[in-house]
PDB file of all heavy atoms in Angstrom:
ATOM      1  N   MET A   1      14.325  -5.169   7.227  1.00  0.00           N
ATOM      2  CA  MET A   1      15.435  -4.716   8.069  1.00  0.00           C
ATOM      3  C   MET A   1      15.882  -3.283   7.669  1.00  0.00           C
ATOM      4  O   MET A   1      16.314  -2.539   8.491  1.00  0.00           O
ATOM      5  CB  MET A   1      16.519  -5.633   7.955  1.00  0.00           C
ATOM      6  CG  MET A   1      16.310  -6.983   8.661  1.00  0.00           C
ATOM      7  SD  MET A   1      17.677  -8.173   8.268  1.00  0.00           S
ATOM      8  CE  MET A   1      19.088  -7.362   9.041  1.00  0.00           C
ATOM      9  N   PHE A   2      15.843  -2.896   6.402  1.00  0.00           N
ATOM     10  CA  PHE A   2      16.547  -1.677   5.971  1.00  0.00           C
ATOM     11  C   PHE A   2      15.581  -0.813   5.088  1.00  0.00           C
ATOM     12  O   PHE A   2      16.062   0.076   4.475  1.00  0.00           O
ATOM     13  CB  PHE A   2      17.720  -2.017   5.074  1.00  0.00           C
ATOM     14  CG  PHE A   2      18.662  -2.929   5.795  1.00  0.00           C
ATOM     15  CD1 PHE A   2      18.922  -4.174   5.471  1.00  0.00           C
ATOM     16  CD2 PHE A   2      19.530  -2.375   6.865  1.00  0.00           C
ATOM     17  CE1 PHE A   2      19.892  -4.956   6.141  1.00  0.00           C
ATOM     18  CE2 PHE A   2      20.489  -3.053   7.483  1.00  0.00           C
ATOM     19  CZ  PHE A   2      20.548  -4.465   7.118  1.00  0.00           C
ATOM     20  N   LYS A   3      14.260  -1.007   5.252  1.00  0.00           N
ATOM     21  CA  LYS A   3      13.334  -0.161   4.362  1.00  0.00           C
ATOM     22  C   LYS A   3      13.481   1.372   4.719  1.00  0.00           C
ATOM     23  O   LYS A   3      13.274   2.193   3.755  1.00  0.00           O
ATOM     24  CB  LYS A   3      11.914  -0.726   4.467  1.00  0.00           C
ATOM     25  CG  LYS A   3      11.335  -0.364   5.910  1.00  0.00           C
ATOM     26  CD  LYS A   3       9.944  -0.876   5.921  1.00  0.00           C
ATOM     27  CE  LYS A   3       9.438  -0.812   7.406  1.00  0.00           C
ATOM     28  NZ  LYS A   3       8.056  -1.385   7.482  1.00  0.00           N
ATOM     29  N   ASP A   4      13.811   1.682   5.949  1.00  0.00           N
ATOM     30  CA  ASP A   4      13.982   3.101   6.217  1.00  0.00           C
ATOM     31  C   ASP A   4      15.231   3.706   5.966  1.00  0.00           C
ATOM     32  O   ASP A   4      15.373   4.899   5.904  1.00  0.00           O
ATOM     33  CB  ASP A   4      13.635   3.285   7.737  1.00  0.00           C
ATOM     34  CG  ASP A   4      12.110   2.978   8.110  1.00  0.00           C
ATOM     35  OD1 ASP A   4      11.342   3.171   7.302  1.00  0.00           O
ATOM     36  OD2 ASP A   4      11.980   2.341   9.217  1.00  0.00           O
ATOM     37  N   ALA A   5      16.359   2.846   5.855  1.00  0.00           N
ATOM     38  CA  ALA A   5      17.645   3.332   5.622  1.00  0.00           C
ATOM     39  C   ALA A   5      18.359   2.262   4.646  1.00  0.00           C
ATOM     40  O   ALA A   5      19.391   1.634   5.047  1.00  0.00           O
ATOM     41  CB  ALA A   5      18.513   3.542   6.776  1.00  0.00           C
ATOM     42  N   PRO A   6      17.873   2.093   3.395  1.00  0.00           N
ATOM     43  CA  PRO A   6      18.422   1.065   2.503  1.00  0.00           C
ATOM     44  C   PRO A   6      19.935   1.437   1.981  1.00  0.00           C
ATOM     45  O   PRO A   6      20.184   2.692   1.971  1.00  0.00           O
ATOM     46  CB  PRO A   6      17.374   1.029   1.380  1.00  0.00           C
ATOM     47  CG  PRO A   6      16.786   2.319   1.370  1.00  0.00           C
ATOM     48  CD  PRO A   6      16.776   2.768   2.808  1.00  0.00           C
ATOM     49  N   ASN A   7      20.557   0.365   1.480  1.00  0.00           N
ATOM     50  CA  ASN A   7      21.832   0.750   0.773  1.00  0.00           C
ATOM     51  C   ASN A   7      21.467   1.473  -0.413  1.00  0.00           C
ATOM     52  O   ASN A   7      20.361   1.461  -1.004  1.00  0.00           O
ATOM     53  CB  ASN A   7      22.328  -0.707   0.329  1.00  0.00           C
ATOM     54  CG  ASN A   7      23.531  -0.652  -0.457  1.00  0.00           C
ATOM     55  OD1 ASN A   7      23.526   0.085  -1.546  1.00  0.00           O
ATOM     56  ND2 ASN A   7      24.617  -1.254  -0.081  1.00  0.00           N
ATOM     57  N   GLU A   8      22.308   2.396  -0.850  1.00  0.00           N
ATOM     58  CA  GLU A   8      22.158   3.362  -1.869  1.00  0.00           C
ATOM     59  C   GLU A   8      21.657   2.625  -3.197  1.00  0.00           C
ATOM     60  O   GLU A   8      20.711   3.128  -3.879  1.00  0.00           O
ATOM     61  CB  GLU A   8      23.437   4.235  -2.092  1.00  0.00           C
ATOM     62  CG  GLU A   8      23.159   5.208  -3.185  1.00  0.00           C
ATOM     63  CD  GLU A   8      24.539   6.030  -3.245  1.00  0.00           C
ATOM     64  OE1 GLU A   8      25.143   6.451  -2.399  1.00  0.00           O
ATOM     65  OE2 GLU A   8      24.740   6.441  -4.435  1.00  0.00           O
ATOM     66  N   ALA A   9      22.079   1.504  -3.439  1.00  0.00           N
ATOM     67  CA  ALA A   9      21.880   0.802  -4.619  1.00  0.00           C
ATOM     68  C   ALA A   9      20.327   0.296  -4.604  1.00  0.00           C
ATOM     69  O   ALA A   9      19.849   0.045  -5.651  1.00  0.00           O
ATOM     70  CB  ALA A   9      22.782  -0.343  -4.831  1.00  0.00           C
ATOM     71  N   LEU A  10      19.750   0.116  -3.522  1.00  0.00           N
ATOM     72  CA  LEU A  10      18.419  -0.392  -3.323  1.00  0.00           C
ATOM     73  C   LEU A  10      17.440   0.578  -2.879  1.00  0.00           C
ATOM     74  O   LEU A  10      16.285   0.218  -2.563  1.00  0.00           O
ATOM     75  CB  LEU A  10      18.485  -1.586  -2.394  1.00  0.00           C
ATOM     76  CG  LEU A  10      19.264  -2.804  -2.865  1.00  0.00           C
ATOM     77  CD1 LEU A  10      19.544  -3.816  -1.846  1.00  0.00           C
ATOM     78  CD2 LEU A  10      18.872  -3.363  -4.180  1.00  0.00           C
ATOM     79  N   THR A  11      17.756   1.826  -2.765  1.00  0.00           N
ATOM     80  CA  THR A  11      16.819   2.900  -2.294  1.00  0.00           C
ATOM     81  C   THR A  11      15.560   2.904  -3.088  1.00  0.00           C
ATOM     82  O   THR A  11      14.433   2.899  -2.530  1.00  0.00           O
ATOM     83  CB  THR A  11      17.525   4.268  -2.324  1.00  0.00           C
ATOM     84  OG1 THR A  11      18.695   4.158  -1.463  1.00  0.00           O
ATOM     85  CG2 THR A  11      16.606   5.322  -1.782  1.00  0.00           C
ATOM     86  N   GLN A  12      15.725   2.985  -4.432  1.00  0.00           N
ATOM     87  CA  GLN A  12      14.499   3.127  -5.306  1.00  0.00           C
ATOM     88  C   GLN A  12      13.713   1.904  -5.195  1.00  0.00           C
ATOM     89  O   GLN A  12      12.459   2.006  -5.225  1.00  0.00           O
ATOM     90  CB  GLN A  12      14.913   3.357  -6.824  1.00  0.00           C
ATOM     91  CG  GLN A  12      13.733   3.542  -7.737  1.00  0.00           C
ATOM     92  CD  GLN A  12      12.928   4.683  -7.245  1.00  0.00           C
ATOM     93  OE1 GLN A  12      13.465   5.770  -6.935  1.00  0.00           O
ATOM     94  NE2 GLN A  12      11.609   4.666  -7.110  1.00  0.00           N
ATOM     95  N   GLN A  13      14.258   0.636  -5.115  1.00  0.00           N
ATOM     96  CA  GLN A  13      13.468  -0.614  -5.110  1.00  0.00           C
ATOM     97  C   GLN A  13      12.652  -0.613  -3.724  1.00  0.00           C
ATOM     98  O   GLN A  13      11.522  -0.998  -3.679  1.00  0.00           O
ATOM     99  CB  GLN A  13      14.328  -1.925  -5.192  1.00  0.00           C
ATOM    100  CG  GLN A  13      14.911  -2.016  -6.516  1.00  0.00           C
ATOM    101  CD  GLN A  13      16.201  -1.374  -6.761  1.00  0.00           C
ATOM    102  OE1 GLN A  13      16.507  -0.382  -5.978  1.00  0.00           O
ATOM    103  NE2 GLN A  13      16.851  -1.632  -7.926  1.00  0.00           N
ATOM    104  N   CYS A  14      13.253  -0.097  -2.610  1.00  0.00           N
ATOM    105  CA  CYS A  14      12.516  -0.074  -1.312  1.00  0.00           C
ATOM    106  C   CYS A  14      11.492   0.931  -1.389  1.00  0.00           C
ATOM    107  O   CYS A  14      10.317   0.681  -0.896  1.00  0.00           O
ATOM    108  CB  CYS A  14      13.601   0.185  -0.166  1.00  0.00           C
ATOM    109  SG  CYS A  14      14.615  -1.131   0.200  1.00  0.00           S
ATOM    110  N   LYS A  15      11.683   2.044  -2.057  1.00  0.00           N
ATOM    111  CA  LYS A  15      10.589   3.116  -2.278  1.00  0.00           C
ATOM    112  C   LYS A  15       9.402   2.508  -3.019  1.00  0.00           C
ATOM    113  O   LYS A  15       8.205   2.629  -2.688  1.00  0.00           O
ATOM    114  CB  LYS A  15      11.166   4.219  -2.830  1.00  0.00           C
ATOM    115  CG  LYS A  15      11.915   5.167  -2.007  1.00  0.00           C
ATOM    116  CD  LYS A  15      12.429   6.396  -2.730  1.00  0.00           C
ATOM    117  CE  LYS A  15      13.338   7.306  -1.877  1.00  0.00           C
ATOM    118  NZ  LYS A  15      13.797   8.373  -2.604  1.00  0.00           N
ATOM    119  N   ASP A  16       9.723   1.678  -3.963  1.00  0.00           N
ATOM    120  CA  ASP A  16       8.848   1.082  -4.915  1.00  0.00           C
ATOM    121  C   ASP A  16       7.911   0.039  -4.122  1.00  0.00           C
ATOM    122  O   ASP A  16       6.720   0.051  -4.342  1.00  0.00           O
ATOM    123  CB  ASP A  16       9.363   0.358  -6.179  1.00  0.00           C
ATOM    124  CG  ASP A  16      10.003   1.411  -7.120  1.00  0.00           C
ATOM    125  OD1 ASP A  16       9.742   2.685  -7.074  1.00  0.00           O
ATOM    126  OD2 ASP A  16      10.786   1.041  -8.053  1.00  0.00           O
ATOM    127  N   VAL A  17       8.659  -0.685  -3.288  1.00  0.00           N
ATOM    128  CA  VAL A  17       7.905  -1.817  -2.507  1.00  0.00           C
ATOM    129  C   VAL A  17       6.940  -1.035  -1.547  1.00  0.00           C
ATOM    130  O   VAL A  17       5.743  -1.480  -1.416  1.00  0.00           O
ATOM    131  CB  VAL A  17       9.003  -2.681  -1.751  1.00  0.00           C
ATOM    132  CG1 VAL A  17       8.186  -3.602  -0.760  1.00  0.00           C
ATOM    133  CG2 VAL A  17       9.694  -3.581  -2.694  1.00  0.00           C
ATOM    134  N   THR A  18       7.472  -0.079  -0.836  1.00  0.00           N
ATOM    135  CA  THR A  18       6.646   0.711   0.102  1.00  0.00           C
ATOM    136  C   THR A  18       5.464   1.272  -0.568  1.00  0.00           C
ATOM    137  O   THR A  18       4.298   1.179  -0.166  1.00  0.00           O
ATOM    138  CB  THR A  18       7.505   1.792   0.841  1.00  0.00           C
ATOM    139  OG1 THR A  18       8.674   1.193   1.383  1.00  0.00           O
ATOM    140  CG2 THR A  18       6.698   2.671   1.736  1.00  0.00           C
ATOM    141  N   ALA A  19       5.629   1.890  -1.733  1.00  0.00           N
ATOM    142  CA  ALA A  19       4.530   2.464  -2.565  1.00  0.00           C
ATOM    143  C   ALA A  19       3.358   1.404  -2.881  1.00  0.00           C
ATOM    144  O   ALA A  19       2.297   1.501  -2.945  1.00  0.00           O
ATOM    145  CB  ALA A  19       5.116   3.197  -3.737  1.00  0.00           C
ATOM    146  N   ALA A  20       4.113   0.165  -3.328  1.00  0.00           N
ATOM    147  CA  ALA A  20       3.188  -0.897  -3.729  1.00  0.00           C
ATOM    148  C   ALA A  20       2.324  -1.302  -2.430  1.00  0.00           C
ATOM    149  O   ALA A  20       1.130  -1.667  -2.659  1.00  0.00           O
ATOM    150  CB  ALA A  20       4.012  -2.026  -4.273  1.00  0.00           C
ATOM    151  N   TYR A  21       2.963  -1.469  -1.394  1.00  0.00           N
ATOM    152  CA  TYR A  21       2.249  -1.768  -0.126  1.00  0.00           C
ATOM    153  C   TYR A  21       1.014  -0.682   0.205  1.00  0.00           C
ATOM    154  O   TYR A  21       0.058  -1.112   0.584  1.00  0.00           O
ATOM    155  CB  TYR A  21       3.096  -1.884   1.190  1.00  0.00           C
ATOM    156  CG  TYR A  21       3.886  -3.186   1.331  1.00  0.00           C
ATOM    157  CD1 TYR A  21       5.228  -3.246   1.555  1.00  0.00           C
ATOM    158  CD2 TYR A  21       3.291  -4.413   1.161  1.00  0.00           C
ATOM    159  CE1 TYR A  21       6.007  -4.440   1.580  1.00  0.00           C
ATOM    160  CE2 TYR A  21       3.855  -5.659   1.296  1.00  0.00           C
ATOM    161  CZ  TYR A  21       5.225  -5.673   1.581  1.00  0.00           C
ATOM    162  OH  TYR A  21       5.919  -6.864   1.737  1.00  0.00           O
ATOM    163  N   GLU A  22       1.447   0.410   0.021  1.00  0.00           N
ATOM    164  CA  GLU A  22       0.420   1.570   0.247  1.00  0.00           C
ATOM    165  C   GLU A  22      -0.774   1.388  -0.804  1.00  0.00           C
ATOM    166  O   GLU A  22      -1.882   1.567  -0.361  1.00  0.00           O
ATOM    167  CB  GLU A  22       1.113   2.815   0.136  1.00  0.00           C
ATOM    168  CG  GLU A  22       2.092   3.189   1.140  1.00  0.00           C
ATOM    169  CD  GLU A  22       2.870   4.534   1.024  1.00  0.00           C
ATOM    170  OE1 GLU A  22       2.684   5.165  -0.043  1.00  0.00           O
ATOM    171  OE2 GLU A  22       3.573   4.790   1.831  1.00  0.00           O
ATOM    172  N   ARG A  23      -0.432   1.152  -2.004  1.00  0.00           N
ATOM    173  CA  ARG A  23      -1.469   0.981  -3.069  1.00  0.00           C
ATOM    174  C   ARG A  23      -2.356  -0.270  -2.661  1.00  0.00           C
ATOM    175  O   ARG A  23      -3.469  -0.343  -2.896  1.00  0.00           O
ATOM    176  CB  ARG A  23      -0.893   0.843  -4.419  1.00  0.00           C
ATOM    177  CG  ARG A  23      -0.410   2.136  -4.990  1.00  0.00           C
ATOM    178  CD  ARG A  23       0.046   1.998  -6.467  1.00  0.00           C
ATOM    179  NE  ARG A  23       0.959   0.946  -6.761  1.00  0.00           N
ATOM    180  CZ  ARG A  23       2.313   1.185  -6.751  1.00  0.00           C
ATOM    181  NH1 ARG A  23       2.847   2.393  -6.338  1.00  0.00           N
ATOM    182  NH2 ARG A  23       3.030   0.131  -7.039  1.00  0.00           N
ATOM    183  N   ILE A  24      -1.794  -1.229  -2.193  1.00  0.00           N
ATOM    184  CA  ILE A  24      -2.403  -2.562  -1.840  1.00  0.00           C
ATOM    185  C   ILE A  24      -3.414  -2.226  -0.590  1.00  0.00           C
ATOM    186  O   ILE A  24      -4.661  -2.607  -0.663  1.00  0.00           O
ATOM    187  CB  ILE A  24      -1.459  -3.709  -1.452  1.00  0.00           C
ATOM    188  CG1 ILE A  24      -0.872  -4.252  -2.680  1.00  0.00           C
ATOM    189  CG2 ILE A  24      -2.286  -4.776  -0.755  1.00  0.00           C
ATOM    190  CD1 ILE A  24       0.214  -5.190  -2.403  1.00  0.00           C
ATOM    191  N   ALA A  25      -2.990  -1.534   0.433  1.00  0.00           N
ATOM    192  CA  ALA A  25      -3.765  -1.111   1.496  1.00  0.00           C
ATOM    193  C   ALA A  25      -4.819  -0.290   1.159  1.00  0.00           C
ATOM    194  O   ALA A  25      -5.994  -0.443   1.579  1.00  0.00           O
ATOM    195  CB  ALA A  25      -2.971  -0.536   2.559  1.00  0.00           C
ATOM    196  N   CYS A  26      -4.683   0.634   0.211  1.00  0.00           N
ATOM    197  CA  CYS A  26      -5.628   1.481  -0.296  1.00  0.00           C
ATOM    198  C   CYS A  26      -6.715   0.800  -1.019  1.00  0.00           C
ATOM    199  O   CYS A  26      -7.961   0.917  -0.850  1.00  0.00           O
ATOM    200  CB  CYS A  26      -5.046   2.735  -1.160  1.00  0.00           C
ATOM    201  SG  CYS A  26      -6.061   4.074  -1.532  1.00  0.00           S
ATOM    202  N   LYS A  27      -6.421  -0.123  -1.802  1.00  0.00           N
ATOM    203  CA  LYS A  27      -7.344  -0.928  -2.642  1.00  0.00           C
ATOM    204  C   LYS A  27      -8.035  -1.689  -1.817  1.00  0.00           C
ATOM    205  O   LYS A  27      -9.338  -1.999  -2.155  1.00  0.00           O
ATOM    206  CB  LYS A  27      -6.597  -1.606  -3.849  1.00  0.00           C
ATOM    207  CG  LYS A  27      -6.041  -0.642  -4.898  1.00  0.00           C
ATOM    208  CD  LYS A  27      -5.296  -1.251  -5.921  1.00  0.00           C
ATOM    209  CE  LYS A  27      -4.664  -0.191  -6.959  1.00  0.00           C
ATOM    210  NZ  LYS A  27      -4.132  -0.746  -8.019  1.00  0.00           N
ATOM    211  N   GLN A  28      -7.475  -2.268  -0.785  1.00  0.00           N
ATOM    212  CA  GLN A  28      -8.159  -3.252   0.086  1.00  0.00           C
ATOM    213  C   GLN A  28      -9.184  -2.373   0.894  1.00  0.00           C
ATOM    214  O   GLN A  28     -10.273  -2.891   1.097  1.00  0.00           O
ATOM    215  CB  GLN A  28      -7.121  -3.956   1.021  1.00  0.00           C
ATOM    216  CG  GLN A  28      -6.374  -5.003   0.519  1.00  0.00           C
ATOM    217  CD  GLN A  28      -5.287  -5.553   1.435  1.00  0.00           C
ATOM    218  OE1 GLN A  28      -4.819  -4.865   2.296  1.00  0.00           O
ATOM    219  NE2 GLN A  28      -4.924  -6.855   1.178  1.00  0.00           N
ATOM    220  N   LYS A  29      -8.816  -1.262   1.281  1.00  0.00           N
ATOM    221  CA  LYS A  29      -9.838  -0.347   1.944  1.00  0.00           C
ATOM    222  C   LYS A  29     -10.909  -0.005   0.981  1.00  0.00           C
ATOM    223  O   LYS A  29     -12.205  -0.009   1.426  1.00  0.00           O
ATOM    224  CB  LYS A  29      -9.115   0.954   2.539  1.00  0.00           C
ATOM    225  CG  LYS A  29     -10.034   1.961   3.105  1.00  0.00           C
ATOM    226  CD  LYS A  29     -10.678   1.499   4.366  1.00  0.00           C
ATOM    227  CE  LYS A  29     -11.565   2.639   5.027  1.00  0.00           C
ATOM    228  NZ  LYS A  29     -12.722   2.247   5.629  1.00  0.00           N
ATOM    229  N   GLU A  30     -10.679   0.261  -0.201  1.00  0.00           N
ATOM    230  CA  GLU A  30     -11.761   0.537  -1.192  1.00  0.00           C
ATOM    231  C   GLU A  30     -12.560  -0.749  -1.396  1.00  0.00           C
ATOM    232  O   GLU A  30     -13.822  -0.531  -1.436  1.00  0.00           O
ATOM    233  CB  GLU A  30     -11.015   0.989  -2.490  1.00  0.00           C
ATOM    234  CG  GLU A  30     -12.135   1.585  -3.434  1.00  0.00           C
ATOM    235  CD  GLU A  30     -11.403   2.224  -4.671  1.00  0.00           C
ATOM    236  OE1 GLU A  30     -10.146   2.353  -4.689  1.00  0.00           O
ATOM    237  OE2 GLU A  30     -12.192   2.407  -5.599  1.00  0.00           O
ATOM    238  N   LEU A  31     -12.028  -1.899  -1.525  1.00  0.00           N
ATOM    239  CA  LEU A  31     -12.874  -3.136  -1.581  1.00  0.00           C
ATOM    240  C   LEU A  31     -13.691  -3.308  -0.400  1.00  0.00           C
ATOM    241  O   LEU A  31     -14.976  -3.646  -0.548  1.00  0.00           O
ATOM    242  CB  LEU A  31     -11.870  -4.304  -1.687  1.00  0.00           C
ATOM    243  CG  LEU A  31     -11.402  -4.680  -3.049  1.00  0.00           C
ATOM    244  CD1 LEU A  31     -10.373  -5.770  -3.037  1.00  0.00           C
ATOM    245  CD2 LEU A  31     -12.506  -5.117  -4.006  1.00  0.00           C
ATOM    246  N   GLU A  32     -13.244  -3.015   0.748  1.00  0.00           N
ATOM    247  CA  GLU A  32     -14.051  -3.164   2.083  1.00  0.00           C
ATOM    248  C   GLU A  32     -15.100  -2.236   1.907  1.00  0.00           C
ATOM    249  O   GLU A  32     -16.278  -2.485   2.273  1.00  0.00           O
ATOM    250  CB  GLU A  32     -13.076  -2.858   3.214  1.00  0.00           C
ATOM    251  CG  GLU A  32     -13.835  -2.954   4.579  1.00  0.00           C
ATOM    252  CD  GLU A  32     -12.889  -2.576   5.761  1.00  0.00           C
ATOM    253  OE1 GLU A  32     -11.752  -2.959   5.769  1.00  0.00           O
ATOM    254  OE2 GLU A  32     -13.357  -2.007   6.638  1.00  0.00           O
ATOM    255  N   ASP A  33     -14.993  -0.890   1.588  1.00  0.00           N
ATOM    256  CA  ASP A  33     -15.971   0.043   1.520  1.00  0.00           C
ATOM    257  C   ASP A  33     -16.954  -0.328   0.450  1.00  0.00           C
ATOM    258  O   ASP A  33     -18.244  -0.094   0.643  1.00  0.00           O
ATOM    259  CB  ASP A  33     -15.439   1.487   1.182  1.00  0.00           C
ATOM    260  CG  ASP A  33     -14.610   2.038   2.472  1.00  0.00           C
ATOM    261  OD1 ASP A  33     -14.754   1.448   3.576  1.00  0.00           O
ATOM    262  OD2 ASP A  33     -13.878   2.982   2.200  1.00  0.00           O
ATOM    263  N   LEU A  34     -16.611  -0.865  -0.688  1.00  0.00           N
ATOM    264  CA  LEU A  34     -17.460  -1.385  -1.705  1.00  0.00           C
ATOM    265  C   LEU A  34     -18.430  -2.429  -1.217  1.00  0.00           C
ATOM    266  O   LEU A  34     -19.505  -2.529  -1.459  1.00  0.00           O
ATOM    267  CB  LEU A  34     -16.748  -1.750  -2.940  1.00  0.00           C
ATOM    268  CG  LEU A  34     -16.231  -0.549  -3.733  1.00  0.00           C
ATOM    269  CD1 LEU A  34     -15.290  -1.163  -4.843  1.00  0.00           C
ATOM    270  CD2 LEU A  34     -17.294   0.262  -4.284  1.00  0.00           C
ATOM    271  N   ARG A  35     -17.809  -3.358  -0.390  1.00  0.00           N
ATOM    272  CA  ARG A  35     -18.630  -4.437   0.201  1.00  0.00           C
ATOM    273  C   ARG A  35     -19.681  -3.829   1.045  1.00  0.00           C
ATOM    274  O   ARG A  35     -20.741  -4.342   1.151  1.00  0.00           O
ATOM    275  CB  ARG A  35     -17.678  -5.333   1.022  1.00  0.00           C
ATOM    276  CG  ARG A  35     -16.926  -6.319   0.279  1.00  0.00           C
ATOM    277  CD  ARG A  35     -16.214  -7.392   0.993  1.00  0.00           C
ATOM    278  NE  ARG A  35     -15.113  -7.828   0.378  1.00  0.00           N
ATOM    279  CZ  ARG A  35     -13.938  -7.495   0.692  1.00  0.00           C
ATOM    280  NH1 ARG A  35     -13.515  -6.828   1.724  1.00  0.00           N
ATOM    281  NH2 ARG A  35     -12.898  -7.986  -0.097  1.00  0.00           N
ATOM    282  N   ASN A  36     -19.352  -2.754   1.863  1.00  0.00           N
ATOM    283  CA  ASN A  36     -20.345  -2.177   2.811  1.00  0.00           C
ATOM    284  C   ASN A  36     -21.227  -1.206   2.068  1.00  0.00           C
ATOM    285  O   ASN A  36     -22.352  -1.074   2.577  1.00  0.00           O
ATOM    286  CB  ASN A  36     -19.589  -1.259   3.870  1.00  0.00           C
ATOM    287  CG  ASN A  36     -18.701  -2.106   4.737  1.00  0.00           C
ATOM    288  OD1 ASN A  36     -19.022  -3.358   4.895  1.00  0.00           O
ATOM    289  ND2 ASN A  36     -17.609  -1.572   5.274  1.00  0.00           N
ATOM    290  N   TYR A  37     -20.891  -0.831   0.843  1.00  0.00           N
ATOM    291  CA  TYR A  37     -21.740   0.151   0.148  1.00  0.00           C
ATOM    292  C   TYR A  37     -23.125  -0.448  -0.168  1.00  0.00           C
ATOM    293  O   TYR A  37     -24.111   0.220  -0.075  1.00  0.00           O
ATOM    294  CB  TYR A  37     -20.861   0.561  -1.127  1.00  0.00           C
ATOM    295  CG  TYR A  37     -21.730   1.751  -1.875  1.00  0.00           C
ATOM    296  CD1 TYR A  37     -21.701   2.974  -1.471  1.00  0.00           C
ATOM    297  CD2 TYR A  37     -22.282   1.325  -3.203  1.00  0.00           C
ATOM    298  CE1 TYR A  37     -22.362   3.994  -2.252  1.00  0.00           C
ATOM    299  CE2 TYR A  37     -23.000   2.315  -3.834  1.00  0.00           C
ATOM    300  CZ  TYR A  37     -23.031   3.638  -3.376  1.00  0.00           C
ATOM    301  OH  TYR A  37     -23.646   4.629  -4.060  1.00  0.00           O
ATOM    302  N   GLY A  38     -23.018  -1.659  -0.606  1.00  0.00           N
ATOM    303  CA  GLY A  38     -24.347  -2.353  -0.991  1.00  0.00           C
ATOM    304  C   GLY A  38     -25.211  -2.649   0.200  1.00  0.00           C
ATOM    305  O   GLY A  38     -26.480  -2.902   0.131  1.00  0.00           O
ATOM    306  N   SER A  39     -24.626  -2.704   1.350  1.00  0.00           N
ATOM    307  CA  SER A  39     -25.533  -2.913   2.597  1.00  0.00           C
ATOM    308  C   SER A  39     -25.696  -1.618   3.396  1.00  0.00           C
ATOM    309  O   SER A  39     -25.905  -1.612   4.581  1.00  0.00           O
ATOM    310  CB  SER A  39     -24.731  -3.932   3.458  1.00  0.00           C
ATOM    311  OG  SER A  39     -23.423  -3.350   3.893  1.00  0.00           O
ATOM    312  N   GLY A  40     -25.812  -0.566   2.696  1.00  0.00           N
ATOM    313  CA  GLY A  40     -26.226   0.726   3.330  1.00  0.00           C
ATOM    314  C   GLY A  40     -25.116   1.458   3.908  1.00  0.00           C
ATOM    315  O   GLY A  40     -25.339   2.478   4.725  1.00  0.00           O
ATOM    316  N   GLY A  41     -23.885   1.125   3.730  1.00  0.00           N
ATOM    317  CA  GLY A  41     -22.700   1.636   4.318  1.00  0.00           C
ATOM    318  C   GLY A  41     -22.405   3.066   3.591  1.00  0.00           C
ATOM    319  O   GLY A  41     -23.099   3.453   2.648  1.00  0.00           O
ATOM    320  N   GLU A  42     -21.287   3.557   4.016  1.00  0.00           N
ATOM    321  CA  GLU A  42     -20.862   4.820   3.532  1.00  0.00           C
ATOM    322  C   GLU A  42     -20.375   4.713   1.901  1.00  0.00           C
ATOM    323  O   GLU A  42     -20.229   3.526   1.458  1.00  0.00           O
ATOM    324  CB  GLU A  42     -19.623   5.406   4.155  1.00  0.00           C
ATOM    325  CG  GLU A  42     -19.986   5.873   5.532  1.00  0.00           C
ATOM    326  CD  GLU A  42     -20.986   7.000   5.531  1.00  0.00           C
ATOM    327  OE1 GLU A  42     -20.840   8.030   4.783  1.00  0.00           O
ATOM    328  OE2 GLU A  42     -21.905   7.003   6.369  1.00  0.00           O
ATOM    329  N   ALA A  43     -20.234   5.773   1.235  1.00  0.00           N
ATOM    330  CA  ALA A  43     -19.876   5.753  -0.104  1.00  0.00           C
ATOM    331  C   ALA A  43     -18.388   5.122  -0.103  1.00  0.00           C
ATOM    332  O   ALA A  43     -17.674   5.081   0.772  1.00  0.00           O
ATOM    333  CB  ALA A  43     -19.842   7.082  -0.759  1.00  0.00           C
TER     334      ALA A  43
END
């Protein structure tokens, strides 16, 4: 509900959650690419 405009006391926690989601997405993409790498896919 409030990730874009959190209460001042929770601003840092919301930023940390967003950053964690971004790291998860990035690592999932890297895993996907690694799965494709062995089958002639891109690096």
Side-chain angles (χ1 to χ4, degrees):
M1 293 173 64
F2 301 108
K3 66 182 174 186
D4 296 327
N7 176 303
E8 187 176 317
L10 299 173
T11 301
Q12 187 58 47
Q13 289 86 346
C14 285
K15 286 180 182 178
D16 292 345
V17 169
T18 300
Y21 277 133
E22 289 171 358
R23 288 190 303 270
I24 288 170
C26 191
K27 289 175 184 188
Q28 286 173 331
K29 173 67 174 142
E30 191 171 348
L31 276 173
E32 180 183 319
D33 288 348
L34 286 172
R35 282 188 207 109
N36 294 333
Y37 186 72
S39 61
E42 292 295 318

